[in-house]
Amino acid sequence: MSHSEISTFNRRQWLQWSAALTAGTAAPWLGAQNAPPVPAKDFLVDGKHVTIVVGGPAGGATDGVARVAFSAQLDREVIVENKPGAGGTIGSKFVSVAKNDGHTLLLGHIGTNVLSPLMQTPQPYDPRKGFTPIGQIGNTASVLLVPAGGPTSLQAALEQWKRKGTFSYASTGLGSGAQLLGHLLADAVQVKGLHVPYRGSPFALQDLAGGRVDAMFVTAGAIGSFIEAKKLVPLAVASAARSSYYPQLPTLREVGLQQVSNEGWFGLFASANVAQPIASAWHAHLHTALQQPQVVKQLQGLVVDIASSHSQKAYAQFIDQEINHWTRVVAQLGDALKAA
């Protein structure tokens, strides 16, 4: 299996958790779920491996988050499987129709579980009915990048694109957050945007560094090596507030481009109709993993802020709110966005 990694999780922590459930005591981090305790063997079949699907290539930001978040804490094989393409929808669709036994999961984000199914025609899957939300991993910023040797500030880039009347922007595929932000930016500064889709951020970043496209919005965790090598120049972030990792970069809101805003996040999803005890088991595991100092440190190295602890129900409500918000935005943009 290409681009796969097998990790062995910590057996002791898993057994401690499952023993509590078997004894009839609900773990405190299950929050509002309060699912009736059932024998641990009913959650995951002993000895069967778990597959975490990533809708992007190895080396991308989502791939990195998946390998960090599932590098410990479970007593079975965990395979991270990369299925890139179509803005992450190939891998996501694979999980949406997978057997609902909890052994096939998706490391998803705003692109795979909100934007792509809203922006692509025909819709590859239903973002609500196709998955069981498990829990949020963390938040990250989208950074606007340009090739080195070009504009060195946001203002200079905007002025250059206005003079030309156009700029090209790369993305990680049709329906991706990078496509949406590029379209919103072109619309906001009233220039023609040329969308250039790729199968994942590593490929897009290489072409961006080579000057074959003018700009790209990229998840912050994927850009460090390019900035250190002085191949790419960061100009701004698309988040509501400045990034603690790149505090020198202005937000696009600060320069009057309020509509060019997108809060990035990563989360865990199972296929549709997974039984609640299985979903609760994964929610508990994710909570435990995100409390491990080495996991926190590694995720911070990927420029991901750990999500505040909340229930599985609260996470599902958050996803629903994201879908509602971006459904309205995509509808307002109309066919121009889907044709970009």
Side-chain angles (χ1 to χ4, degrees), residues 216-230:
M216 183 180 180
F217 285 94
V218 189
T219 301
I223 64 178
S225 61
F226 288 90
I227 294 176
E228 291 173 5
K230 297 183 179 180

Side-chain angles (χ1 to χ4, degrees), residues 239-250:
S239 49
R242 292 198 178 200
S243 167
S244 59
Y245 297 94
Y246 294 98
Q248 77 279 14
L249 299 181

